[in-house]
Amino acid sequence: MDSVTLTEIKRQQKGWKEAFKYLETKSENVKVKFLKYKNRTWIFTGCGTSLYIAQTASYCFTKITGIQSKAVAASEVIISPEIVFPNNEFVLVPISRSGTTTEIVLAARKSGKEFSIPTIAVSCTSESELVGECDNAITFPFQREESVVMTGSFLTMLLSIIHLALELSEDTNEKLRSELTTLPDGSEKLMLSNELYIKGIAGKLNLIEFVFLGQGPMYGLANEAALKMQEMTISVAQGYNTLEYRHGPKSTCTENTFAAVMLSDNGINLEAKLIPELKDFGASTLVLYSDTEREHVNKADFKIEIPKGYTDLMKPFFYLPLLQFLGYYRAVAKGINPDSPKNLTQVVKF
Ligand code: F1P
């Protein structure tokens, strides 16, 4: 029988299509409900994978709408709410696959009840405690994940926030909207055609330490790819802003280091400098990039080019499934069952 985690990684693009259709039916409603908050700062929050969705979502949301936003760990919302909300000109967007993680439920409760902050839950579970705590919710009645480790839900929840941003934007964003409709098929094709290639990289048993580097919308992805590697393969893995790696972490780089660099059009000239540097330190490098960045990737050991014509905001939908494969196949190469991660449960409660 196929692994649940692998099945959920591979079916995700079909879920985005369903999500997109469903979200289109809610468009008018969204404008009426949320446009009134456009002068507030939106706080995207979550725990674990959902925090990393928040990091990427905050970047995409502000880029599309021009509305100010920040990503904050749900634990900070509970522990230091007066710092997160110095006044009540905020909106809280708690993100959670289960909708039952203790910190996220408490964060929503505290923000709404004690600070009078409007709350909009984003969750894969419509009947959850979190949704019950919030004033509004964007939920998905499909592709419920069984796996402990979260995979497909990351990009489905991100898609819903990008869709919300497009609805709230004053611009028609024709290009982005058309990219959104074509990317599920493009992403699925890229993912499946690189499955064996990634399996081969993941099988290199000299690799001990894993590093994931990204800027802008790819920073949340870098953290998420590192978390997948930790959860599924019980390895040392870190995510950084690409250029931050030069400020200290590079001292740990050896010939047993694997580094994945996710390039962005916005930062290409600076980000590309890391590729030869990582090689000089002895690391094995995988570079994910688009055709406009091709001239910078010669020095990489492994490279995967995404289809032409997508802006940086859409790159997560191509890059992340590849890195989820990497975590999955690394676990398999180490003889670990990714469906039963050590010390983890699907939901963390206390
Ligand atoms: C958040 C989360 C997951 C993590 C683990 C425990 O869950 O931290 O990201 O992989 O399985 O829970 P949720 O609040 O999004 O349901």
Side-chain angles (χ1 to χ4, degrees):
M1 211 180 71
D2 262 357
S3 135
V4 177
T5 309
L6 185 63
T7 305
E8 291 177 352
I9 294 172
K10 285 186 167 183
R11 71 175 188 178
Q12 60 186 305
Q13 290 86 358
K14 295 196 172 57
W16 309 342
K17 281 189 192 170
E18 284 177 51
F20 190 73
K21 262 193 250 150
Y22 175 82
L23 292 165
E24 286 288 276
T25 65
K26 306 268 169 197
S27 290
E28 275 314 308
N29 209 0
V30 160
K31 262 190 220 137
V32 173
K33 279 185 173 165
F34 305 136
L35 213 47
K36 59 180 182 264
Y37 300 138
K38 74 177 182 346
N39 294 323
R40 295 180 176 231
T41 300
W42 291 48
I43 304 287
F44 292 90
T45 186
C47 303
T49 293
S50 295
L51 169 60
Y52 304 139
I53 300 173
Q55 291 172 344
T56 294
S58 164
Y59 184 100
C60 296
F61 185 81
T62 294
K63 181 91 185 166
I64 296 170
T65 60
I67 298 173
Q68 284 188 26
S69 75
K70 253 205 293 199
V72 178
S75 52
E76 293 294 350
V77 180
I78 316 169
I79 294 171
S80 308
E82 70 290 357
I83 305 298
V84 180
F85 308 124
N87 53 49
N88 55 12
E89 292 302 303
F90 290 85
V91 174
L92 188 83
V93 184
I95 303 168
S96 172
R97 174 177 69 170
S98 63
T100 53
T101 297
T102 302
E103 290 108 300
I104 202 74
V105 174
L106 292 180
R109 189 175 301 155
K110 193 171 257 309
S111 309
K113 300 226 162 64
E114 293 176 32
F115 288 78
S116 306
I117 304 291
T119 46
I120 308 168
V122 173
S123 179
C124 301
T125 319
S126 34
E127 303 295 315
S128 63
E129 217 180 329
L130 173 66
V131 172
E133 282 296 337
C134 290
D135 308 316
N136 289 287
I138 299 171
T139 59
F140 304 92
F142 40 79
Q143 281 208 337
R144 184 179 290 272
E145 280 185 353
E146 304 293 329
S147 58
V148 173
V149 172
M150 196 161 146
T151 56
S153 307
F154 184 110
L155 290 169
T156 316
M157 288 199 271
L158 178 65
L159 176 80
S160 74
I161 296 168
I162 290 180
H163 188 272
L164 169 66
L166 289 172
E167 294 309 313
L168 299 184
S169 167
E170 282 165 15
D171 200 314
T172 54
N173 292 295
E174 295 301 335
K175 181 164 174 356
L176 272 184
R177 282 180 187 276
S178 100
E179 285 180 37
L180 265 187
T181 57
T182 57
L183 71 83
D185 288 340
S187 167
E188 185 174 43
K189 199 165 158 213
L190 182 80
M191 177 186 79
L192 295 177
S193 61
N194 281 288
E195 185 171 3
L196 289 179
Y197 184 58
I198 292 187
K199 193 174 176 182
I201 302 171
K204 300 199 172 297
L205 289 174
N206 67 312
L207 302 174
I208 295 173
E209 186 217 11
F210 294 82
V211 173
F212 297 90
L213 305 176
Q215 297 278 156
M218 270 56 87
Y219 175 61
L221 253 55
N223 290 328
E224 171 60 5
L227 184 70
K228 291 305 88 155
M229 199 50 86
Q230 292 162 355
E231 288 180 328
M232 287 199 259
T233 80
I234 332 287
S235 303
V236 177
Q238 306 281 347
Y240 299 99
N241 297 96
T242 307
L243 297 184
E244 280 303 305
Y245 192 70
R246 306 172 105 198
H247 297 274
K250 68 179 180 188
S251 31
T252 63
C253 194
T254 68
E255 58 286 357
N256 302 119
T257 302
F258 170 87
V261 186
M262 290 173 266
L263 294 180
S264 69
D265 289 339
N266 227 9
I268 180 65
N269 291 326
L270 294 168
E271 292 165 24
K273 291 189 192 304
L274 264 287
I275 304 168
E277 278 187 25
L278 286 159
K279 283 269 24 116
D280 289 347
F281 298 139
S284 298
T285 52
L286 164 68
V287 179
L288 306 180
Y289 67 99
S290 62
D291 60 312
T292 50
E293 295 142 8
R294 195 182 294 148
E295 64 183 286
H296 298 275
V297 304
N298 300 336
K299 293 260 165 57
D301 298 297
F302 308 101
K303 37 195 159 193
I304 301 178
E305 181 174 314
I306 68 166
K308 272 191 178 61
Y310 290 95
T311 41
D312 281 347
L313 296 186
M314 296 295 135
K315 286 183 179 168
F317 294 92
F318 293 95
Y319 289 173
L320 189 59
L322 300 169
L323 298 176
Q324 290 169 342
F325 264 169
L326 187 74
Y328 175 81
Y329 282 113
R330 182 68 186 162
V332 172
K334 284 181 77 176
I336 295 171
N337 178 0
D339 290 342
S340 323
K342 191 175 161 228
N343 301 343
L344 284 185
T345 47
Q346 211 191 25
V347 184
V348 177
K349 291 191 182 191
F350 57 83

